[in-house]
Amino acid sequence: MATVDQSSGINGGTHPSRAIRKMPYKIETDVNLATVTTTKGSAIGSADVIQVLDIPGKSLVYAAGLEMVTQGDGKYTVDLGVETVDGDLFVDGVDWGSAIATGTITQQALGGNYQPVVLGSDLTLDLTIGKAAESASALPTTGVFRAWAVVQDISNDLGPDEVDRDQLA
């Protein structure tokens, strides 16, 4: 098992909040499996964890998923979750790969596992790729898909001046 960091180090652990009132926002990145293989220095293994997005602490993650951008080789399964919380919280064992149409977007995990998650510290959205049950082929080496998450800053940064101003408005 190896951990491959493909996250962009977004915002250095801070939120790109866009208003005085903290609103949900989307973060995303393209995951290129050829780049993952090159970065790792060997083929992707079924227990490898690919860190795709950095999520700042004091965040609420409402949802996350994948979209097929460029079909690659092979048929495989994907899991998407949050480091140390649940590795398949958002996407759980979805068949993925060369048979999936470009533009396909995953649904949230079924079976009662899906729920928004609160992060107390900086963590990553992690992708795990596994062999499809009926596939004897090796894991993929090519293909591109977009990983996304809807996040909200839930940190308490209101001081007395901000509270007074907000109550007067």
Side-chain angles (χ1 to χ4, degrees), residues 75-86:
K75 182 176 182 182
Y76 47 95
T77 62
V78 289
D79 291 337
L80 187 67
V82 177
E83 168 192 12
T84 72
V85 175
D86 185 344

Side-chain angles (χ1 to χ4, degrees), residues 44-121:
I44 296 170
S46 62
D48 290 350
V49 174
I50 304 166
Q51 297 174 327
V52 294
L53 289 169
D54 292 324
I55 304 174
K58 297 186 179 179
S59 294
L60 174 62
V61 183
Y62 290 103
L66 302 169
E67 177 185 10
M68 181 64 73
V69 175
T70 306
Q71 293 174 323
D73 56 341
K75 182 176 182 182
Y76 47 95
T77 62
V78 289
D79 291 337
L80 187 67
V82 177
E83 168 192 12
T84 72
V85 175
D86 185 344
D88 58 9
L89 180 66
F90 296 112
V91 176
D92 185 9
V94 172
D95 288 335
W96 208 244
S98 59
I100 302 299
T102 299
T104 299
I105 298 176
T106 58
Q107 293 295 320
Q108 300 302 295
L110 299 174
N113 292 336
Y114 166 71
Q115 64 181 7
V117 63
V118 175
L119 305 182
S121 60

Side-chain angles (χ1 to χ4, degrees), residues 4-6 30-45 48 50 52 68-74 76 96 127 129 139-146:
V4 183
D5 187 356
Q6 292 294 290
D30 282 346
V31 178
N32 185 324
L33 296 180
T35 303
V36 171
T37 301
T38 301
T39 302
K40 181 184 174 196
S42 62
I44 296 170
D48 290 350
I50 304 166
V52 294
M68 181 64 73
V69 175
T70 306
Q71 293 174 323
D73 56 341
Y76 47 95
W96 208 244
L127 171 70
I129 296 175
L139 292 171
T141 57
T142 62
V144 178
F145 40 89
R146 180 176 66 95

